[in-house]
Amino acid sequence: MSARSFSVSIVASAVMLMLGSFPSVANTVTESIEKQNSYIDLQQADIALFHYRESGNVLAKAGVTVHPSADHITNPISVRGATNGVAIMQDNIFYSAAPYSGQNIVLQPNLFFQSTLSSHQQTNVGQGGQGGFGLLNYTSIAISPREIDTVINVEINDDGSPAGGILVGGKTKQYGMLLGVDYQKADTDSGFITDFDNKHEQTDIMFKINSDSLPGARNHQKTEFSYYYSDKTSDTSKIGLTDDYFTAKPNGRYAATQLDYEHGKRQRYALAHQVSLPGQSKVFTDFYYQTFSQRGHDTLLLEDELINNLSLMQLSEFEKAPTAEGLLTSASKNDNDFAGFGVQSKGITMYGPHEVIYQARYHTDKAEMRVGGHDYLINQDLSLTKQDTDYAVGKYTDDADAITTAVNAKLNYEKLSVNFGLGYEHVSVSRELGDNTELLTAADFSDDGWIPSIEVAYQQNAWLFALSAKQAWTAAGAGNTEQLAQEALQYQLAINYQQDGLNVGLTAYMHDFDNMHSTCKWGVNCDPIQNTQQVNLKDVSVSGIDVSVDYSLNLDWYSIPLALDYRYTQAEFGQTNCDIIVGCYSDGSQLPWVPEQQVSASIGFVMDKFSIVANALYQTETGSPFFPGNYGIDSQWNIDLAAQYQMSKEHKVYVRVENLLDDDLVAKNYQMGIISQGELKTYIGYQGHF
């Protein structure tokens, strides 16, 4: 569970500095609640011993709703029903190259390079519209203060798939440097009749160099340059399996999909500057530029019809008894490029116990989209022969520019904290159509929104209480034909108790949407046209309760850490309608991507050099009777287990078991079949720290 911060912003249209990459000087009561319940230290023992590089279980512990995904495919997330207007950040910089123009991109950073993870469940006025309905922020590993510091990690699973990473860095006088490299590879048999594999390969690089103040500098300063690179290729398909085939081999794929894959390459350059001014004032400024290229091949059509439950049965029968006539399939092939640039700054001034934060950001991004297609004949030996006819390549470009400003006043009176604030964002959006885009609509519009917020919080001994009211706003994307912003009023009451190793948090909230955006981001099956669209859901209501309990039983010779995060969410449509993305829905029914209940729980046993921890994620059923058919996912548990032995101060070995119960966990169950999350895997690893 997460009790969120209730900061409020009183906007100034001319702000000297911008959205920052560093924490504020003072903690309000609600920031304390948030840190205790939605802040994950990835280096703490009960998390670090899993040595995850990616995990939906970790995301759930941070307080977001995790949507299942196929093996090696990034988990989409939502926050209190919202899938759009939710920002993924790294070091308080957008992780996506194009958060405004590329709203269907789903990316998460490699956990090997991260030190902490936190979430906001309400709007943060300084973040503007992207982040107005939730925020997931990663903090990357900092440069070590030691002269030389090295971490080495290697692991292998029961399929023989390896992963390995190294971090090397240190600090000399006023200069510091850090270099990190991580590599993963997996190769598993996927064919039923024919012999082909699901392959996954990923390389990540992180580089940082920084400098403290030069001798004689009037004010203390710190400057850091960072570079991130990620290259990921996964053999994956939108085509799932029939019930019989899923039961026989959950991770299998039909031969028709053997050419399907997904590839992404991301690069980011950032320069961060921090200045400490007289009177406890600080200024943080970031310049960043990043790119992301996306390539893919998706089988979508069988005999010129979008694959559905009936045609999937036809494909399944052909796999069992192929004929000389063969079957004709069609696949889309995308070749997309995204780029974004921004400058952001944040100024913090202290007036005794009170704090005023000035923030601003200019961000611009672009999505250049190219989608073509090919026809293939599935032969009697289940090989694929490319046909002579290629589909014309459709091209279009989405652009967006955003200016965000905010002022946040935090007034602290001993036990009482009162926060007022106001944010403002102006967004300009355009869509320029190129070749073969007759079914798309050009766009050129701008919109602006005010984001007010107020909070009152009180602290009494071990108890913390906070009440907040906010208005959240996110501009429409280029694919929104009505050009309507996503808007909601957000109300929240949070209570927290912390004493003697026990931390208990309770949050009750209601988000009243005038309009909610929906896109293909959350995982419904979409064709290339649907991927260009953003639809509006009117009068959605989301309310719920989050509960968090953390306790560590510490005895003389062992300890037992316990953690439980429970969230109950009632997210209901406000009208009966049908649209191109969601399908058909009725007034009062649950949003199909939101489980009514989600539980994240862990229990461990730590004794001297030995540790063992079990980590579980439970979600109730999702899905609804969409037209032409979303058949939903039943409630399911995903349990991981890890054990670690600290051989010496420098060396440790570990075992991690994912999907401990070896259940047939479902990532998707829709008209194109059932797709698995992955079967039981066992990893053996070593980590050294020198």
Side-chain angles (χ1 to χ4, degrees):
M1 160 252 140
S2 307
R4 313 310 152 204
S5 82
F6 323 80
S7 50
V8 189
S9 306
I10 313 170
V11 79
S13 55
V15 174
M16 49 184 281
L17 291 153
M18 307 168 40
L19 297 171
S21 347
F22 300 91
S24 60
V25 176
N27 279 336
T28 65
V29 171
T30 49
E31 285 174 334
S32 299
I33 293 177
E34 183 175 52
K35 185 170 183 178
Q36 291 162 10
N37 297 288
S38 65
Y39 175 91
I40 305 297
D41 182 355
L42 298 172
Q43 309 304 312
Q44 70 188 41
D46 57 337
I47 300 294
L49 67 83
F50 281 90
H51 299 278
Y52 284 128
R53 284 167 167 81
E54 60 180 357
S55 172
N57 287 21
V58 172
L59 296 176
K61 290 178 74 68
V64 300
T65 299
V66 180
H67 303 293
S69 67
D71 207 12
H72 302 299
I73 302 301
T74 302
N75 290 95
I77 65 168
S78 63
V79 175
R80 295 180 178 175
T83 58
N84 285 233
V86 176
I88 308 296
M89 316 286 284
Q90 185 182 46
D91 300 327
N92 286 321
I93 294 175
F94 289 125
Y95 190 73
S96 170
Y100 290 83
S101 299
Q103 296 186 355
N104 288 342
I105 299 175
V106 178
L107 296 173
Q108 299 278 354
N110 186 336
L111 293 178
F112 181 70
F113 292 153
Q114 314 310 313
S115 61
T116 67
L117 170 62
S118 61
S119 70
H120 297 268
Q121 302 293 310
Q122 290 184 296
T123 188
N124 181 327
V125 293
Q127 291 295 348
Q130 292 300 322
F133 291 83
L135 174 68
L136 194 63
N137 188 41
Y138 293 84
T139 303
S140 62
I141 292 174
I143 295 175
S144 172
R146 297 170 56 188
E147 186 173 351
I148 298 179
D149 202 337
T150 303
V151 174
I152 298 174
N153 176 270
V154 292
E155 65 179 33
I156 191 169
N157 69 12
D158 46 8
D159 286 330
S161 300
I166 184 170
L167 294 164
V168 180
K171 194 170 181 68
T172 302
K173 296 182 179 180
Q174 70 266 33
Y175 301 103
M177 187 275 290
L178 174 64
L179 174 64
V181 179
D182 188 65
Y183 177 76
Q184 306 170 53
K185 185 177 181 180
D187 198 344
T188 57
D189 176 57
S190 298
F192 288 100
I193 308 299
T194 56
D195 185 18
F196 69 95
D197 295 335
N198 264 350
K199 297 180 180 179
H200 167 74
E201 190 169 9
Q202 181 172 341
T203 302
D204 294 279
I205 299 173
M206 176 180 68
F207 174 73
K208 293 183 178 183
I209 185 169
N210 68 16
S211 174
D212 289 334
S213 302
L214 297 175
R218 184 173 180 180
N219 299 307
H220 180 267
Q221 303 180 35
K222 182 179 180 180
T223 304
E224 181 172 285
F225 170 79
S226 61
Y227 170 74
Y228 294 89
Y229 171 88
S230 181
D231 190 319
K232 177 180 178 180
T233 302
S234 295
D235 290 345
T236 184
S237 177
K238 293 181 178 179
I239 306 299
L241 305 173
T242 62
D243 290 343
D244 290 344
Y245 270 85
F246 185 80
T247 301
K249 191 174 185 178
N251 285 334
R253 284 167 55 191
Y254 295 124
T257 70
Q258 60 189 279
L259 299 180
D260 289 356
Y261 74 96
E262 181 179 292
H263 174 255
K265 181 185 292 185
R266 174 183 178 269
Q267 297 187 76
R268 192 192 85 179
Y269 307 83
L271 182 66
H273 185 66
Q274 173 184 346
V275 182
S276 298
L277 301 175
Q280 292 186 294
S281 297
K282 292 190 176 184
V283 173
F284 311 97
T285 306
D286 300 298
F287 299 86
Y288 60 88
Y289 173 75
Q290 52 186 326
T291 62
F292 177 67
S293 62
Q294 182 186 61
R295 310 288 181 263
H297 185 284
D298 290 312
T299 301
L300 293 175
L301 304 179
L302 181 66
E303 302 292 353
D304 293 325
E305 291 187 4
L306 186 67
I307 293 176
N308 55 35
N309 191 43
L310 292 177
S311 53
L312 188 68
M313 293 294 294
Q314 183 182 0
L315 187 63
S316 175
E317 291 302 317
F318 186 85
E319 184 94 7
K320 295 176 184 176
T323 62
E325 293 81 7
L327 282 178
L328 184 68
T329 65
S330 302
S332 69
K333 190 171 184 178
N334 62 70
D335 183 2
N336 306 324
D337 290 296
F338 307 86
F341 165 79
V343 54
Q344 59 184 29
S345 204
K346 177 178 184 177
I348 302 173
T349 301
M350 299 298 299
Y351 300 94
H354 311 304
E355 177 185 85
V356 179
I357 302 176
Y358 306 92
Q359 301 177 256
R361 174 178 62 214
Y362 170 74
H363 175 91
T364 181
D365 62 46
K366 176 185 289 189
E368 297 178 312
M369 314 295 286
R370 296 173 291 272
V371 182
H374 302 299
D375 285 342
Y376 297 91
L377 183 70
I378 312 177
N379 301 309
Q380 191 169 12
D381 62 356
L382 298 180
S383 63
L384 298 181
T385 300
K386 184 180 175 182
Q387 304 301 287
D388 293 335
T389 303
D390 286 346
Y391 293 94
V393 177
K395 300 178 181 179
Y396 66 94
T397 300
D398 288 353
D399 282 280
D401 295 282
I403 297 174
T404 307
T405 61
V407 175
N408 194 24
K410 302 181 179 183
L411 310 178
N412 299 307
Y413 302 98
E414 296 182 353
K415 299 179 180 180
L416 182 68
S417 172
V418 182
N419 299 345
F420 299 97
L422 185 63
Y424 171 80
E425 183 167 87
H426 177 83
V427 180
S428 298
V429 174
S430 68
R431 170 169 289 174
E432 182 179 341
L433 302 182
D435 300 332
N436 307 301
T437 54
E438 293 79 7
L439 298 178
L440 302 186
T441 302
D444 188 0
F445 64 92
S446 62
D447 198 1
D448 51 24
W450 294 89
I451 308 171
S453 177
I454 184 169
E455 169 215 322
V456 178
Y458 181 78
Q459 181 172 4
Q460 178 65 44
N461 299 323
W463 291 92
L464 304 175
F465 305 88
L467 180 65
S468 69
K470 300 186 177 187
Q471 179 170 327
W473 177 91
T474 298
N480 192 312
T481 56
E482 297 178 278
Q483 301 177 7
L484 294 177
Q486 178 171 275
E487 296 184 87
L489 292 174
Q490 302 175 341
Y491 308 97
Q492 178 172 283
L493 171 65
I495 302 171
N496 203 88
Y497 175 83
Q498 185 177 37
Q499 190 169 8
D500 299 331
L502 174 65
N503 180 75
V504 180
L506 172 66
T507 301
Y509 64 88
M510 181 178 73
H511 291 189
D512 186 11
F513 287 81
D514 286 338
N515 185 51
M516 174 184 281
H517 293 157
S518 183
T519 64
C520 290
K521 186 174 183 178
W522 63 274
V524 67
N525 174 46
C526 288
D527 62 30
I529 296 299
Q530 290 170 307
N531 276 315
T532 69
Q533 305 297 306
Q534 182 185 74
V535 299
N536 300 303
L537 308 176
K538 307 293 178 58
D539 301 323
V540 172
S541 175
V542 182
S543 59
I545 295 175
D546 300 341
V547 179
S548 176
V549 180
D550 291 278
Y551 180 68
S552 182
L553 176 63
N554 298 309
L555 300 176
D556 292 339
W557 54 280
Y558 70 92
S559 63
I560 301 177
L562 302 164
L564 173 68
D565 293 272
Y566 170 79
R567 55 190 57 252
Y568 172 81
T569 306
Q570 189 174 64
E572 297 180 346
F573 290 105
Q575 60 177 332
T576 299
N577 199 7
C578 294
D579 63 49
I580 192 173
I581 302 296
V582 179
C584 294
Y585 51 87
S586 60
D587 184 8
S589 59
Q590 181 86 352
L591 300 184
W593 56 88
V594 182
E596 191 174 72
Q597 300 180 73
Q598 176 177 290
V599 179
S600 174
S602 65
I603 182 171
F605 179 82
V606 180
M607 182 180 64
D608 193 22
K609 298 180 179 181
F610 176 76
S611 306
I612 184 169
V613 175
N615 186 6
L617 172 61
Y618 169 78
Q619 292 180 327
T620 54
E621 63 274 5
T622 56
S624 69
F626 286 0
F627 180 82
N630 179 305
Y631 307 103
I633 300 173
D634 292 335
S635 59
Q636 52 189 6
W637 284 93
N638 186 358
I639 301 177
D640 295 345
L641 180 71
Q644 178 176 282
Y645 180 72
Q646 190 83 37
M647 296 184 294
S648 66
K649 182 180 178 181
E650 295 82 13
H651 307 284
K652 64 181 71 171
V653 292
Y654 62 90
V655 176
R656 179 177 74 253
V657 182
E658 297 181 359
N659 187 10
L660 179 66
L661 302 181
D662 198 17
D663 288 336
D664 293 335
L665 300 177
V666 176
K668 294 181 183 179
N669 181 17
Y670 56 5
Q671 65 268 28
M672 296 183 78
I674 307 173
I675 297 177
S676 171
Q677 290 190 48
E679 299 179 290
L680 181 149
K681 291 191 185 71
T682 302
Y683 296 79
I684 299 176
Y686 160 82
Q687 182 156 306
H689 188 184
F690 311 97

